[in-house]
Amino acid sequence: MDQPSGRSFMQVLCEKYSPENFPYRRGPGMGVHVPATPQGSPMKDRLNLPSVLVLNSCGITCAGDEKEIAAFCAHVSELDLSDNKLEDWHEVSKIVSNVPQLEFLNLSSNPLNLSVLERTCAGSFSGVRKLVLNNSKASWETVHTILQELPDLEELFLCLNDYETVSCPSICCHSLKLLHITDNNLQDWTEIRKLGVMFPSLDTLVLANNHLNAIEEPDDSLARLFPNLRSISLHKSGLQSWEDIDKLNSFPKLEEVRLLGIPLLQPYTTEERRKLVIARLPSVSKLNGSVVTDGEREDSERFFIRYYVDVPQEEVPFRYHELITKYGKLEPLAEVDLRPQSSAKVEVHFNDQVEEMSIRLDQTVAELKKQLKTLVQLPTSSMLLYYFDHEAPFGPEEMKYSSRALHSFGIRDGDKIFVESKTK
């Protein structure tokens, strides 16, 4: 059922965390006591607030009484206000300015593009280290204002904001370590390189679902743009060239890459995709969320050599020559059929007769006796069968269990079956 419109932050806070809805938990810091005022308090005299407040999808449009926010939220460190109806940055500022310990703030899916963020308002966010503005349609001007006023910002989420371009501010943000900017419309590398200029200390860059079509940058320039980048996600980008994958080697500290769902890898099998990528990225220790072990790297590099061994020299990637120097030229792997043998040609010995015949190995001893009945002219109940492996040192083995499958004996071509009569 839809929440009513026009609700304040404090109204929702009182309802959700009242003693009736959120039972008081014993222990230091688990409840906040405020003496009753002469006017009375809509919160009675106690709210039981954890340090992490989740007030998403509550129809919040405004802050409410700022003194009450300050009294009750002094210890709050994380605040989720996603999917509300906040459209005025001044109201957001009233809330945040009264939560002095706040480090994480989620404002996703609020229509904050309907108002302008002034620097005086943004100053109230100064202690925030992690800020989520997904699907808020926040303009780059808003982002720049925030970056100027949040000196300790470490993580920024700007997903689903319909960005087609990136606007670069005059001042860099050296504190930011992680940027999620997935599900936008950033297709040209000239826009992505601006992120490197804006955030020179970036450790993790998540660009999934942006349809980036190529990495068009000289290798030495890439190293200068993202000197500290350790992890990059290009999941469902539009990369179509192995040269783009090779470019990733230019990031001097890159260790983790995500490359699922790109057009370049579609024609390859799952095994080929992983091994060919691992072989091209010698410094990457985690691919698509899975650790690359030393053994897997060696297998991948050897696979890479064999994959390109018959390719014309002018089409062989440079990495091939590097790996030839490391391992030498490798012969193609022999194809070994590991499927179990379905039949065998054996010698059947009975009295002084020897008959060569083919027997199915998926049948049982009892079924073999039926097959031999006509040949040896004995009823199955009178037969004794012995299997002789011509390489075994211990002599014939009696086939005494009627339900035992023949393949369990390890019968091969050239082995012998001896038939004797019980009455003999």
Side-chain angles (χ1 to χ4, degrees):
M1 187 170 63
D2 292 340
Q3 297 284 355
S5 61
R7 309 175 79 209
S8 73
F9 172 82
M10 272 313 304
Q11 178 185 353
V12 170
L13 196 67
C14 293
E15 292 174 2
K16 179 167 183 177
Y17 293 101
S18 67
E20 292 80 10
N21 296 331
F22 199 88
Y24 181 70
R25 296 177 295 173
R26 296 184 181 278
M30 304 308 288
V32 180
H33 177 79
V34 177
T37 62
Q39 294 81 15
S41 170
M43 301 162 286
K44 301 181 181 177
D45 61 353
R46 178 185 289 129
L47 285 182
N48 303 312
L49 298 185
S51 60
V52 177
L53 297 184
V54 180
L55 299 174
N56 62 309
S57 305
C58 294
I60 298 172
T61 60
C62 57
D65 191 307
E66 292 186 62
K67 292 182 179 178
E68 291 184 337
I69 296 174
F72 282 88
C73 298
H75 67 299
V76 171
S77 60
E78 298 188 19
L79 179 57
D80 182 353
L81 293 173
S82 61
D83 198 27
N84 279 292
K85 298 178 181 180
L86 290 162
E87 59 182 52
D88 189 337
W89 282 105
H90 286 280
E91 293 301 320
V92 177
S93 177
K94 291 177 184 177
I95 298 171
V96 176
S97 62
N98 289 291
V99 188
Q101 303 299 319
L102 192 64
E103 294 187 351
F104 172 88
L105 176 62
N106 187 351
L107 293 171
S108 296
S109 299
N110 281 282
L112 289 165
N113 58 314
L114 300 178
S115 67
V116 176
L117 175 60
E118 299 171 358
R119 289 193 63 174
T120 52
C121 285
S124 63
F125 294 71
S126 61
V128 173
R129 295 177 181 273
K130 301 178 183 179
L131 179 62
V132 187
L133 295 174
N134 297 340
N135 196 35
S136 65
K137 307 302 184 275
S139 68
W140 282 111
E141 288 71 24
T142 293
V143 174
H144 296 164
T145 302
I146 289 171
L147 295 177
Q148 290 180 63
E149 299 299 324
L150 274 67
D152 299 320
L153 186 65
E154 296 177 358
E155 299 183 10
L156 179 61
F157 295 74
L158 297 174
C159 310
L160 295 160
N161 282 335
D162 298 333
Y163 297 138
E164 295 183 359
T165 60
V166 174
S167 173
C168 224
S170 56
I171 301 175
C172 299
C173 176
H174 290 273
S175 62
L176 200 74
K177 299 294 189 294
L178 180 148
L179 175 64
H180 273 255
I181 193 165
T182 67
D183 297 278
N184 283 287
N185 300 307
L186 303 174
Q187 300 181 28
D188 197 293
W189 176 256
T190 57
E191 304 305 322
I192 307 303
R193 76 183 313 278
K194 295 175 187 176
L195 299 175
V197 175
M198 289 171 66
F199 307 115
S201 302
L202 208 59
D203 171 277
T204 301
L205 176 58
V206 185
L207 287 167
N209 299 325
N210 268 290
H211 309 294
L212 175 68
N213 49 38
I215 302 177
E216 299 169 331
E217 190 85 29
D219 293 350
D220 57 343
S221 179
L222 277 178
R224 291 194 301 271
L225 274 175
F226 294 97
N228 297 294
L229 194 66
R230 186 194 57 80
S231 175
I232 188 169
S233 173
L234 294 164
H235 176 64
K236 288 192 176 179
S237 63
L239 299 181
Q240 302 181 54
S241 168
W242 281 113
E243 284 70 24
D244 293 319
I245 308 304
D246 294 336
K247 289 278 187 183
L248 299 177
N249 289 310
S250 300
F251 299 132
K253 295 185 179 180
L254 193 67
E255 298 176 353
E256 181 175 355
V257 175
R258 290 181 182 268
L259 284 169
L260 293 173
I262 65 174
L264 168 66
L265 300 178
Q266 293 308 311
Y268 299 90
T269 66
T270 301
E271 179 189 27
E272 289 171 341
R273 292 171 191 168
R274 185 168 176 85
K275 287 186 173 180
L276 293 177
V277 171
I278 289 173
R280 284 181 180 264
L281 300 176
S283 299
V284 169
S285 57
K286 184 179 286 188
L287 176 63
N288 298 328
S290 297
V291 172
V292 179
T293 64
D294 292 341
E296 184 183 20
R297 177 164 300 287
E298 181 173 342
D299 287 346
S300 298
E301 292 176 345
R302 289 178 176 275
F303 177 90
F304 189 90
I305 291 174
R306 292 188 171 100
Y307 188 87
Y308 285 102
V309 70
D310 294 325
V311 172
Q313 280 297 306
E314 62 273 15
E315 298 178 21
V316 170
F318 179 74
R319 181 63 176 155
Y320 173 84
H321 300 292
E322 292 181 332
L323 292 176
I324 287 293
T325 302
K326 182 176 181 179
Y327 296 105
K329 289 193 174 182
L330 305 176
E331 295 296 327
L333 293 174
E335 292 188 9
V336 180
D337 188 353
L338 298 177
R339 291 174 297 180
Q341 193 172 343
S342 59
S343 64
K345 288 185 178 180
V346 299
E347 290 182 0
V348 178
H349 292 251
F350 177 65
N351 292 336
D352 296 327
Q353 301 177 25
V354 179
E355 189 78 27
E356 187 177 89
M357 63 185 300
S358 179
I359 60 173
R360 289 189 356 263
L361 299 181
D362 60 348
Q363 63 182 333
T364 63
V365 172
E367 290 169 330
L368 176 60
K369 287 182 178 181
K370 290 180 182 179
Q371 184 181 350
L372 297 174
K373 182 178 178 181
T374 303
L375 176 66
V376 301
Q377 296 294 308
L378 284 175
T380 57
S381 58
S382 298
M383 285 187 204
L384 293 175
L385 301 186
Y386 297 87
Y387 161 61
F388 179 71
D389 178 354
H390 61 281
E391 294 183 0
F394 304 113
E397 175 184 358
E398 183 177 356
M399 305 170 76
K400 62 172 69 175
Y401 300 109
S402 298
S403 60
R404 183 175 174 181
L406 297 188
H407 63 72
S408 66
F409 290 93
I411 299 173
R412 292 165 293 174
D413 292 340
D415 289 347
K416 300 175 183 179
I417 303 289
F418 290 90
V419 184
E420 294 183 4
S421 172
K422 288 184 180 179
T423 58
K424 184 176 178 180

